[in-house]
Amino acid sequence: MEIIYKQPETGSIFDGYSIKNSCFKLLSSSDIKNSTSNRHHHSEYEVHIINNGHNIYETDGEEYKIEDGCMLIIPAKVSHRLKNYNEDTLKYSITFNLDDESQLCKKNKTIFMKTPSVILNTIHIMLAEYKNNLYFSHQILENSMYNIIVNILRFLQYKEATVNKRSTMTENYHISLAKQYINDNFAN
């Protein structure tokens, strides 16, 4: 298992929003083999995107075979289990919590769908930045993770706040990052 991005507790683009504990992982078949096949649930949303191979999940009393280019969105507190997987499976796993799910999400059922190109493209950006590990790579990873989660929440038909209700904490964070960059690179 390779952790590509893990949300810090504070000081991130997610501050002021109800998204917590977001994490993006790259999992190989050996990682999947060690995961549980027992029925369980989590307090966070769990999203699986298959890059190679397949997984078979059982959730909501239904079976879902997710293959290359497909994704499965399992809402928080929904019981599920991994039934089967391909030995050559490579997948991306995205998890995140919401402060108040009842007000944000209208759907509490598993969603199986073709992975939208906006999410796949963002994943490719994240993987490239993770490998680059340059000065702004972490910020690009964080922004990309935010982009993916917002798109997932829109598929779940969550209720978005209007722009004038957004917190300015995120803007202040970006300003402090820019000031730090200027001081580190251009200060005498």
Side-chain angles (χ1 to χ4, degrees):
M1 173 176 53
E2 207 167 341
I3 297 175
I4 307 299
Y5 173 81
K6 185 169 175 45
Q7 178 181 344
E9 288 187 30
T10 60
S12 77
I13 191 171
F14 296 97
D15 288 352
Y17 297 90
S18 59
I19 299 166
K20 305 281 184 219
N21 305 318
S22 65
C23 189
F24 177 82
K25 300 174 205 161
L26 179 60
L27 300 164
S28 66
S29 56
S30 62
D31 301 316
I32 297 165
K33 182 179 182 178
N34 295 328
S35 67
T36 182
S37 61
N38 297 327
R39 184 167 288 286
H40 63 282
H41 67 276
H42 310 278
S43 62
E44 69 267 355
Y45 284 76
E46 191 173 340
V47 180
H48 299 284
I49 300 170
I50 301 296
N51 186 44
N52 185 53
H54 73 269
N55 284 180
I56 298 176
Y57 277 88
E58 185 181 296
T59 178
D60 298 334
E62 293 186 43
E63 253 184 40
Y64 299 92
K65 182 177 183 180
I66 50 174
E67 300 175 297
D68 297 356
C70 293
M71 78 179 192
L72 188 68
I73 304 171
I74 304 170
K77 301 177 185 136
V78 170
S79 180
H80 61 280
R81 74 182 183 111
L82 175 65
K83 276 187 78 172
N84 198 343
Y85 67 95
N86 180 284
E87 285 293 326
D88 298 328
T89 299
L90 182 63
K91 75 175 179 178
Y92 310 116
S93 175
I94 298 166
T95 55
F96 59 94
N97 286 338
L98 298 175
D99 279 348
D100 187 0
E101 301 160 33
S102 60
Q103 289 184 355
L104 282 176
C105 290
K106 294 179 183 176
K107 291 189 176 182
N108 202 22
K109 294 213 33 110
T110 300
I111 296 177
F112 172 69
M113 62 190 293
K114 182 178 182 340
T115 308
S117 59
V118 65
I119 291 178
L120 287 175
N121 292 339
T122 305
I123 286 172
H124 293 297
I125 290 168
M126 289 182 79
L127 294 173
E129 285 302 323
Y130 178 73
K131 288 177 186 171
N132 288 340
N133 198 24
L134 299 173
Y135 186 82
F136 285 114
S137 291
H138 179 77
Q139 190 63 42
I140 292 170
L141 286 170
E142 189 168 84
N143 290 341
S144 297
M145 185 69 169
Y146 183 79
N147 180 313
I148 288 172
I149 292 172
V150 166
N151 278 289
I152 289 168
L153 289 173
R154 285 179 174 167
F155 293 123
L156 293 171
Q157 298 177 342
Y158 87 112
K159 188 175 14 173
E160 282 185 74
T162 56
V163 174
N164 61 355
K165 292 183 181 177
R166 283 187 16 197
S167 167
T168 59
M169 292 174 70
T170 302
E171 288 125 17
N172 292 340
Y173 174 68
H174 289 290
I175 290 169
S176 68
L177 271 182
K179 285 179 181 177
Q180 178 185 343
Y181 177 78
I182 290 167
N183 285 336
D184 291 349
N185 292 284
F186 301 107
N188 293 328

